Amino acid sequence: MLDYRFPTALQMVLSVAMAEQLGKRSTSAILAYGLEANPSFIRKLMVPLTRDGIIVSTLGRTGSIHLGRPAAEITLRDIYTSVIEDKKLWASRPDVAPRCLVSANLCWYFKSIAEEAEEASLKVLETRTVADALAELKKRDTSNCEPLPDLDIADCSKKIR
């Protein structure tokens, strides 16, 4: 089963960063509309992102979501580890009966490869910040989209139900 928490959280954080640059408001309804995602999934992802200081949200009719620290200080690794938590990149098979050289040793061997691959991935994510990612998206943009359209929160809520 594919896990969409990291790419969704990354898009959320980048959307909040873009809105802040443009002086626009971010809410869970606006994020859900922009990501074409269920608002409850967005709110669920906001919990670890808020806990880890990546985003902050204010409640109420005029509430909004903001970055918890400057975009240049939030790495993609921060976002990944926040929403993925302890889930491994690759899961190994449970121990199987040692019937041959392969079955007797594959579990530890696979775990070592998976740990090495995960560490390499985390090192790549650690070298990129939200500010870097947003700058690269702007530089390589071919969409001709508005940077962030003006959205009525009530309209967003109706469209994503």
Side-chain angles (χ1 to χ4, degrees):
M1 184 162 115
L2 295 175
D3 188 336
Y4 292 108
R5 289 177 294 174
F6 174 57
T8 304
L10 176 60
Q11 187 173 350
M12 287 170 59
V13 173
L14 289 171
S15 296
V16 170
M18 174 66 93
E20 284 187 0
Q21 285 184 358
L22 297 172
K24 303 274 185 169
R25 184 172 169 225
S26 292
T27 66
S28 59
I30 291 171
L31 291 174
Y33 174 77
L35 277 78
E36 293 185 354
N38 187 311
S40 65
F41 182 51
I42 299 302
R43 288 188 295 273
K44 183 178 179 180
L45 287 176
M46 286 177 58
V47 171
L49 294 171
T50 301
R51 175 197 65 217
D52 295 333
I54 295 169
I55 61 169
V56 261
S57 64
T58 55
L59 301 174
R61 198 170 71 81
T62 59
S64 62
I65 302 167
H66 299 279
L67 295 180
R69 53 187 187 265
E73 294 177 16
I74 302 170
T75 68
L76 302 192
R77 180 182 179 145
D78 294 335
I79 299 167
Y80 177 84
T81 57
S82 179
V83 296
I84 297 300
E85 296 172 333
D86 291 335
K87 184 178 179 195
K88 295 293 182 189
L89 185 62
W90 293 331
S92 62
R93 292 189 64 215
D95 289 328
V96 294
R99 296 195 171 112
C100 67
L101 174 94
V102 173
S103 62
N105 294 287
L106 190 63
C107 187
W108 68 261
Y109 181 74
F110 185 84
K111 282 181 181 177
S112 67
I113 289 174
E115 286 173 10
E116 188 177 341
E118 182 146 8
E119 190 54 41
S121 294
L122 291 173
K123 283 182 182 177
V124 169
L125 295 175
E126 193 168 19
T127 65
R128 292 177 168 87
T129 67
V130 169
D132 298 334
L134 202 52
E136 188 169 344
L137 290 175
K138 288 177 182 179
K139 179 181 175 184
R140 298 178 68 182
D141 177 34
T142 59
S143 69
N144 297 319
C145 293
E146 289 182 50
L148 190 67
D150 286 323
L151 298 172
D152 181 339
I153 295 170
D155 288 344
C156 290
S157 298
K158 291 174 190 171
K159 291 177 183 176
I160 55 179
R161 286 186 185 155

